[in-house]
Amino acid sequence: MQTVTLQTRSSSGDPVDDTACTLKNDKGSWTAKAPGNVSVRRSAEDLLVECKKNGMSDGFLRAISRSAGGMWGNIIFGGGIGAIIDHNKGTGYNYPDSLPVRMGESVVIDRRDEQAPKEDKVARTSGTY
């Protein structure tokens, strides 16, 4: 399991409270109110989030699943058996820790962007490398 922080904002960036959200992947489905925390089962599949609130357009988010560091250690030191087990159980993967849903929009977020050094994020944002 992984605990993620769920937040919802309007298209103008203002926080939206008491939003009903559903999170899904191939390992299950979870419901939660945003803002808040929710524990989801890790998987190699992306996590899909849909949030609803009366009077607002629905918000959608896709959280990209990325392999955890331990997965590579299993491949190198364990001959791949541990990696196969981690893959099948989903334990070898992580989602971004924060899921910022924008109401009325569809957003894709990637854990790789959370872990990138600040200067790398700035360079990628500005289009220079």
Side-chain angles (χ1 to χ4, degrees), residues 64-113:
I64 305 296
S65 176
R66 293 286 176 194
S67 60
M71 181 87 132
W72 296 110
N74 279 333
I75 293 169
I76 293 168
F77 299 113
I81 300 286
I84 291 169
I85 292 168
D86 283 352
H87 173 75
N88 290 338
K89 287 185 172 182
T91 56
Y93 298 92
N94 288 317
Y95 295 114
D97 293 321
S98 179
L99 306 178
V101 178
R102 285 222 176 227
M103 301 305 289
E105 297 181 24
S106 183
V107 178
V108 175
I109 61 167
D110 193 329
R111 184 174 180 87
R112 185 184 311 166
D113 295 335

Side-chain angles (χ1 to χ4, degrees), residues 26-101:
D26 63 325
K27 303 291 184 189
S29 177
W30 303 267
T31 57
K33 291 279 186 187
N37 295 322
V38 61
S39 291
V40 298
R41 188 155 176 217
R42 294 176 181 160
S43 169
E45 299 295 321
D46 294 345
L47 183 66
L48 305 176
V49 181
E50 180 179 4
C51 294
K52 297 175 179 281
K53 181 166 176 118
N54 287 337
M56 300 189 86
S57 297
D58 296 351
F60 301 93
L61 180 137
R62 175 183 294 268
I64 305 296
S65 176
R66 293 286 176 194
S67 60
M71 181 87 132
W72 296 110
N74 279 333
I75 293 169
I76 293 168
F77 299 113
I81 300 286
I84 291 169
I85 292 168
D86 283 352
H87 173 75
N88 290 338
K89 287 185 172 182
T91 56
Y93 298 92
N94 288 317
Y95 295 114
D97 293 321
S98 179
L99 306 178
V101 178

Side-chain angles (χ1 to χ4, degrees), residues 112-129:
R112 185 184 311 166
D113 295 335
E114 284 183 342
Q115 297 172 343
K118 281 187 178 180
E119 54 276 357
D120 186 34
K121 282 185 184 178
V122 171
R124 280 189 282 141
T125 305
S126 67
T128 59
Y129 293 89

